[in-house]
Protein backbone atom coordinates (compact mmCIF):
# COMPACT_ATOMS: atom_id res chain seq x y z
CA UNK A 1 0.00 0.00 0.00
CA UNK A 2 1.41 3.35 -1.06
CA UNK A 3 1.00 6.17 1.44
CA UNK A 4 0.15 9.65 0.23
CA UNK A 5 2.84 12.19 1.08
CA UNK A 6 1.95 15.89 1.11
CA UNK A 7 3.53 17.76 -1.72
CA UNK A 8 4.92 20.50 0.50
CA UNK A 9 6.63 17.88 2.70
CA UNK A 10 8.10 16.13 -0.32
CA UNK A 11 9.42 19.42 -1.65
CA UNK A 12 11.18 20.14 1.58
CA UNK A 13 13.01 16.82 1.38
CA UNK A 14 14.34 14.87 4.33
CA UNK A 15 14.95 16.62 7.63
CA UNK A 16 18.31 18.32 7.72
CA UNK A 17 18.61 18.59 3.94
CA UNK A 18 18.52 22.08 2.34
CA UNK A 19 15.38 22.83 0.39
CA UNK A 20 15.31 23.99 -3.22
CA UNK A 21 16.41 27.57 -3.88
CA UNK A 22 13.53 30.01 -4.33
CA UNK A 23 14.14 32.63 -7.04
CA UNK A 24 13.68 36.25 -5.96
CA UNK A 25 11.30 38.43 -7.97
CA UNK A 26 12.94 40.37 -10.78
CA UNK A 27 13.40 44.07 -9.97
CA UNK A 28 11.35 46.61 -11.91
CA UNK A 29 13.00 48.70 -14.57
CA UNK A 30 14.29 52.03 -13.26
CA UNK A 31 12.13 55.07 -13.90
CA UNK A 32 13.26 57.14 -16.86
CA UNK A 33 15.05 60.37 -16.10
CA UNK A 34 13.31 63.65 -16.85
CA UNK A 35 15.46 64.96 -19.70
CA UNK A 36 15.65 61.73 -21.80
CA UNK A 37 11.92 61.16 -21.28
CA UNK A 38 11.20 64.77 -22.20
CA UNK A 39 13.22 64.44 -25.40
CA UNK A 40 11.39 61.22 -26.34
CA UNK A 41 7.94 62.74 -25.80
CA UNK A 42 8.96 65.87 -27.68
CA UNK A 43 10.13 63.93 -30.73
CA UNK A 44 7.01 61.78 -30.74
CA UNK A 45 4.67 64.76 -30.48
CA UNK A 46 6.58 66.74 -33.09
CA UNK A 47 6.48 63.88 -35.60
CA UNK A 48 2.71 63.63 -35.17
CA UNK A 49 2.29 67.38 -35.48
CA UNK A 50 4.07 67.48 -38.81
CA UNK A 51 1.25 65.55 -40.43
CA UNK A 52 -1.84 66.42 -38.41
CA UNK A 53 -1.20 70.08 -37.52
CA UNK A 54 0.16 71.59 -40.73
CA UNK A 55 -3.32 72.48 -42.09
CA UNK A 56 -4.24 74.01 -38.73
CA UNK A 57 -1.03 76.03 -38.66
CA UNK A 58 -1.91 77.38 -42.10
CA UNK A 59 -5.34 78.35 -40.77
CA UNK A 60 -3.78 80.08 -37.75
CA UNK A 61 -1.35 82.03 -39.94
CA UNK A 62 -4.01 82.94 -42.49
CA UNK A 63 -6.31 84.07 -39.68
CA UNK A 64 -3.69 86.36 -38.15
CA UNK A 65 -2.71 87.84 -41.52
CA UNK A 66 -6.38 88.41 -42.34
CA UNK A 67 -6.89 90.26 -39.07
CA UNK A 68 -3.97 92.56 -39.88
CA UNK A 69 -5.37 93.25 -43.34
CA UNK A 70 -8.72 94.21 -41.81
CA UNK A 71 -7.08 96.38 -39.18
CA UNK A 72 -5.03 98.11 -41.88
CA UNK A 73 -8.13 100.02 -42.88
CA UNK A 74 -8.68 101.21 -39.29
CA UNK A 75 -5.17 101.74 -37.94
CA UNK A 76 -2.77 104.05 -39.75
CA UNK A 77 0.43 103.59 -37.81
CA UNK A 78 2.18 104.45 -34.61
CA UNK A 79 1.69 102.50 -31.39
CA UNK A 80 -1.65 101.11 -32.59
CA UNK A 81 0.01 99.44 -35.57
CA UNK A 82 2.72 98.04 -33.31
CA UNK A 83 0.07 96.47 -31.05
CA UNK A 84 -1.79 95.00 -34.02
CA UNK A 85 1.31 93.35 -35.52
CA UNK A 86 2.64 92.07 -32.19
CA UNK A 87 -0.78 90.80 -31.12
CA UNK A 88 -1.38 89.04 -34.43
CA UNK A 89 2.01 87.31 -34.25
CA UNK A 90 1.42 86.05 -30.71
CA UNK A 91 -2.11 85.00 -31.71
CA UNK A 92 -0.59 82.22 -33.82
CA UNK A 93 1.01 80.87 -30.64
CA UNK A 94 -2.29 81.13 -28.77
CA UNK A 95 -4.19 79.29 -31.50
CA UNK A 96 -1.84 76.31 -31.52
CA UNK A 97 -0.39 76.18 -28.00
CA UNK A 98 -3.53 77.10 -26.07
CA UNK A 99 -6.49 76.09 -28.20
CA UNK A 100 -5.18 72.92 -29.84
CA UNK A 101 -3.36 71.68 -26.74
CA UNK A 102 -6.51 72.06 -24.64
CA UNK A 103 -8.37 69.95 -27.21
CA UNK A 104 -5.56 67.39 -27.33
CA UNK A 105 -5.39 66.76 -23.59
CA UNK A 106 -9.17 66.84 -23.27
CA UNK A 107 -9.47 64.14 -25.92
CA UNK A 108 -6.55 62.20 -24.41
CA UNK A 109 -8.28 62.14 -21.05
CA UNK A 110 -11.66 61.05 -22.43
CA UNK A 111 -10.23 58.34 -24.73
CA UNK A 112 -8.11 56.75 -22.01
CA UNK A 113 -4.83 57.87 -23.51
CA UNK A 114 -3.60 58.97 -20.10
CA UNK A 115 -3.73 55.33 -19.02
CA UNK A 116 -1.15 54.52 -21.70
CA UNK A 117 1.23 57.20 -20.44
CA UNK A 118 0.61 56.09 -16.84
CA UNK A 119 1.92 52.59 -17.64
CA UNK A 120 5.20 53.97 -18.99
CA UNK A 121 8.13 54.79 -16.68
CA UNK A 122 7.91 58.43 -17.73
CA UNK A 123 7.66 61.30 -15.23
CA UNK A 124 4.41 63.29 -15.51
CA UNK A 125 6.38 66.49 -16.05
CA UNK A 126 8.02 64.97 -19.14
CA UNK A 127 4.62 64.28 -20.74
CA UNK A 128 3.34 67.80 -20.15
CA UNK A 129 6.60 69.58 -21.01
CA UNK A 130 7.24 67.42 -24.09
CA UNK A 131 3.79 68.06 -25.55
CA UNK A 132 3.96 71.76 -24.68
CA UNK A 133 7.41 72.14 -26.27
CA UNK A 134 6.29 70.36 -29.44
CA UNK A 135 3.21 72.53 -29.87
CA UNK A 136 5.19 75.70 -29.10
CA UNK A 137 7.89 74.76 -31.64
CA UNK A 138 5.23 74.16 -34.23
CA UNK A 139 4.16 77.83 -34.06
CA UNK A 140 7.55 79.28 -35.08
CA UNK A 141 7.04 79.39 -38.89
CA UNK A 142 3.58 80.95 -38.67
CA UNK A 143 4.68 83.54 -36.13
CA UNK A 144 7.66 84.63 -38.25
CA UNK A 145 5.53 84.85 -41.41
CA UNK A 146 2.83 86.83 -39.62
CA UNK A 147 5.34 89.27 -38.15
CA UNK A 148 7.06 89.77 -41.50
CA UNK A 149 3.79 90.40 -43.35
CA UNK A 150 2.64 92.77 -40.61
CA UNK A 151 5.83 94.81 -40.79
CA UNK A 152 5.37 95.12 -44.54
CA UNK A 153 1.71 96.16 -44.22
CA UNK A 154 2.28 98.81 -41.57
CA UNK A 155 5.82 99.79 -42.65
CA UNK A 156 7.41 98.84 -39.35
CA UNK A 157 11.15 98.12 -38.94
CA UNK A 158 12.26 94.49 -39.07
CA UNK A 159 15.61 94.96 -37.35
CA UNK A 160 14.41 93.51 -34.04
CA UNK A 161 12.42 90.54 -35.26
CA UNK A 162 15.04 88.40 -33.54
CA UNK A 163 13.17 89.12 -30.29
CA UNK A 164 10.70 86.48 -31.45
CA UNK A 165 13.36 83.92 -30.55
CA UNK A 166 12.60 84.75 -26.91
CA UNK A 167 8.92 85.67 -27.21
CA UNK A 168 7.77 82.50 -29.00
CA UNK A 169 9.19 79.88 -26.56
CA UNK A 170 8.22 81.87 -23.47
CA UNK A 171 4.71 82.67 -24.71
CA UNK A 172 4.42 79.11 -25.98
CA UNK A 173 5.34 77.71 -22.56
CA UNK A 174 2.86 79.94 -20.76
CA UNK A 175 0.00 79.31 -23.18
CA UNK A 176 0.77 75.61 -23.56
CA UNK A 177 0.69 75.15 -19.80
CA UNK A 178 -2.63 76.97 -19.65
CA UNK A 179 -4.05 74.94 -22.52
CA UNK A 180 -2.89 71.63 -21.03
CA UNK A 181 -4.38 72.54 -17.65
CA UNK A 182 -7.72 73.45 -19.25
CA UNK A 183 -7.83 70.19 -21.18
CA UNK A 184 -6.90 68.05 -18.17
CA UNK A 185 -9.22 69.74 -15.69
CA UNK A 186 -12.26 69.89 -17.97
CA UNK A 187 -14.70 67.06 -17.13
CA UNK A 188 -15.62 66.52 -20.82
CA UNK A 189 -13.69 66.98 -24.07
CA UNK A 190 -16.39 69.28 -25.41
CA UNK A 191 -15.84 71.61 -22.47
CA UNK A 192 -12.08 71.47 -23.03
CA UNK A 193 -12.62 72.54 -26.65
CA UNK A 194 -14.88 75.37 -25.52
CA UNK A 195 -12.37 76.61 -22.94
CA UNK A 196 -9.53 76.48 -25.46
CA UNK A 197 -11.49 78.51 -27.98
CA UNK A 198 -12.50 81.03 -25.32
CA UNK A 199 -8.86 81.41 -24.32
CA UNK A 200 -7.83 81.98 -27.93
CA UNK A 201 -10.62 84.54 -28.35
CA UNK A 202 -9.38 86.35 -25.24
CA UNK A 203 -5.87 86.41 -26.71
CA UNK A 204 -7.33 87.83 -29.93
CA UNK A 205 -9.41 90.60 -28.37
CA UNK A 206 -6.99 91.56 -25.60
CA UNK A 207 -3.82 91.22 -27.65
CA UNK A 208 -4.58 92.52 -31.12
CA UNK A 209 -6.72 95.53 -30.21
CA UNK A 210 -4.70 98.57 -29.08
CA UNK A 211 -4.88 98.77 -25.26
CA UNK A 212 -5.63 102.52 -25.27
CA UNK A 213 -8.93 101.87 -27.02
CA UNK A 214 -10.11 99.29 -24.50
CA UNK A 215 -12.28 100.13 -21.46
CA UNK A 216 -10.48 100.41 -18.14
CA UNK A 217 -12.00 97.22 -16.76
CA UNK A 218 -10.93 95.30 -19.86
CA UNK A 219 -7.41 96.67 -19.54
CA UNK A 220 -7.16 95.10 -16.09
CA UNK A 221 -8.37 91.80 -17.55
CA UNK A 222 -5.73 92.17 -20.25
CA UNK A 223 -3.00 92.12 -17.60
CA UNK A 224 -4.18 88.67 -16.48
CA UNK A 225 -3.70 87.12 -19.92
CA UNK A 226 -0.24 85.47 -20.27
CA UNK A 227 0.07 86.39 -23.94
CA UNK A 228 -0.19 90.10 -23.07
CA UNK A 229 3.41 90.21 -21.86
CA UNK A 230 4.67 88.61 -25.05
CA UNK A 231 2.71 91.16 -27.09
CA UNK A 232 4.06 94.05 -25.04
CA UNK A 233 7.66 92.80 -25.27
CA UNK A 234 7.45 92.43 -29.04
CA UNK A 235 5.59 95.72 -29.60
CA UNK A 236 8.21 97.70 -27.68
CA UNK A 237 10.92 96.73 -30.17
CA UNK A 238 9.27 98.61 -33.06
CA UNK A 239 9.98 102.03 -31.57
CA UNK A 240 13.08 104.04 -32.36
CA UNK A 241 14.32 104.17 -28.78
CA UNK A 242 13.61 100.66 -27.55
CA UNK A 243 13.38 100.36 -23.77
CA UNK A 244 15.20 97.07 -23.41
CA UNK A 245 14.79 97.07 -19.64
CA UNK A 246 11.00 97.08 -20.11
CA UNK A 247 11.32 94.34 -22.74
CA UNK A 248 13.38 92.22 -20.36
CA UNK A 249 10.86 92.78 -17.57
CA UNK A 250 7.98 91.65 -19.80
CA UNK A 251 9.93 88.55 -20.80
CA UNK A 252 10.78 87.81 -17.16
CA UNK A 253 7.11 88.04 -16.18
CA UNK A 254 6.22 85.81 -19.12
CA UNK A 255 8.83 83.26 -18.01
CA UNK A 256 7.45 83.28 -14.46
CA UNK A 257 3.91 82.79 -15.73
CA UNK A 258 5.14 79.94 -17.93
CA UNK A 259 6.74 78.15 -14.97
CA UNK A 260 3.56 78.48 -12.91
CA UNK A 261 1.26 77.37 -15.73
CA UNK A 262 3.40 74.32 -16.55
CA UNK A 263 3.51 73.38 -12.87
CA UNK A 264 -0.29 73.61 -12.70
CA UNK A 265 -0.55 71.50 -15.86
CA UNK A 266 1.74 68.86 -14.35
CA UNK A 267 -0.40 68.76 -11.21
CA UNK A 268 -3.53 68.47 -13.36
CA UNK A 269 -1.94 65.57 -15.28
CA UNK A 270 -1.17 63.67 -12.06
CA UNK A 271 -4.71 64.33 -10.83
CA UNK A 272 -6.28 63.10 -14.07
CA UNK A 273 -3.97 60.07 -14.42
CA UNK A 274 -4.89 58.55 -11.05
CA UNK A 275 -8.63 58.74 -11.65
Amino acid sequence: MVSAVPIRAADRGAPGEPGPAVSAPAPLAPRARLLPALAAVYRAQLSRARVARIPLLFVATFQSVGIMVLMRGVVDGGSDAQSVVAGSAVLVVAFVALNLLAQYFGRLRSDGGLDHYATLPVPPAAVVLGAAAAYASFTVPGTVVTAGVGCALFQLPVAHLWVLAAVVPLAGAALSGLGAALGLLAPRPELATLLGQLGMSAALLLGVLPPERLPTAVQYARDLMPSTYGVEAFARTFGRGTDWAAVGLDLAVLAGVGIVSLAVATWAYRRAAVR
Side-chain angles (χ1 to χ4, degrees):
M1 180 176 180
V2 180
S3 61
V5 181
I7 297 177
R8 293 181 179 177
D11 290 342
R12 286 194 297 265
E17 294 182 1
V22 179
S23 59
L28 296 176
R31 193 173 185 83
R33 291 176 296 176
L34 176 62
L35 292 181
L38 173 62
V41 175
Y42 174 79
R43 289 194 299 268
Q45 291 291 338
L46 195 61
S47 63
R48 294 180 58 184
R50 290 174 184 171
V51 178
R53 305 304 180 192
I54 287 180
L56 295 176
L57 178 62
F58 175 79
V59 171
T61 306
F62 183 79
Q63 171 185 261
S64 296
V65 172
I67 290 172
M68 290 190 299
V69 172
L70 292 176
M71 294 296 293
R72 184 66 180 85
V74 180
V75 176
D76 294 331
S79 61
D80 290 349
Q82 297 170 8
S83 298
V84 170
V85 174
S88 299
V90 177
L91 181 61
V92 179
V93 183
F95 182 87
V96 177
L98 196 161
N99 184 24
L100 297 185
L101 200 59
Q103 297 181 31
Y104 171 74
F105 274 106
R107 185 175 65 253
L108 195 69
R109 180 185 178 185
S110 64
D111 295 344
L114 293 181
D115 298 335
H116 167 70
Y117 282 108
T119 59
L120 300 177
V122 177
V127 179
V128 175
L129 294 177
Y135 276 69
S137 301
F138 193 62
T139 64
V140 173
T143 304
V144 174
V145 170
T146 301
V149 173
C151 290
L153 281 174
F154 293 93
Q155 298 180 354
L156 296 176
V158 297
H160 295 146
L161 287 186
W162 57 266
V163 176
L164 288 174
V167 172
V168 171
L170 293 178
L175 295 174
S176 296
L178 179 59
L182 292 176
L184 291 168
L185 294 176
R188 297 190 305 272
E190 296 82 6
L191 186 57
T193 300
L194 175 62
L195 293 175
Q197 292 178 350
L198 288 177
M200 187 199 67
S201 299
L204 167 62
L205 297 176
L206 301 178
V208 175
L209 296 179
E212 295 81 8
R213 302 189 181 187
L214 297 175
T216 304
V218 179
Q219 291 182 13
Y220 288 122
R222 184 175 181 268
D223 295 335
L224 300 177
M225 192 67 189
S227 59
T228 299
Y229 301 96
V231 174
E232 290 292 334
F234 187 32
R236 294 181 193 275
T237 62
F238 291 125
R240 292 184 178 179
T242 302
D243 188 356
W244 292 108
V247 173
L249 180 60
D250 287 331
L251 294 177
V253 173
L254 190 59
V257 174
I259 293 174
V260 173
S261 65
L262 290 173
V264 173
T266 302
W267 168 81
Y269 174 84
R270 289 194 181 99
R271 180 176 177 269
V274 298
R275 289 193 170 186

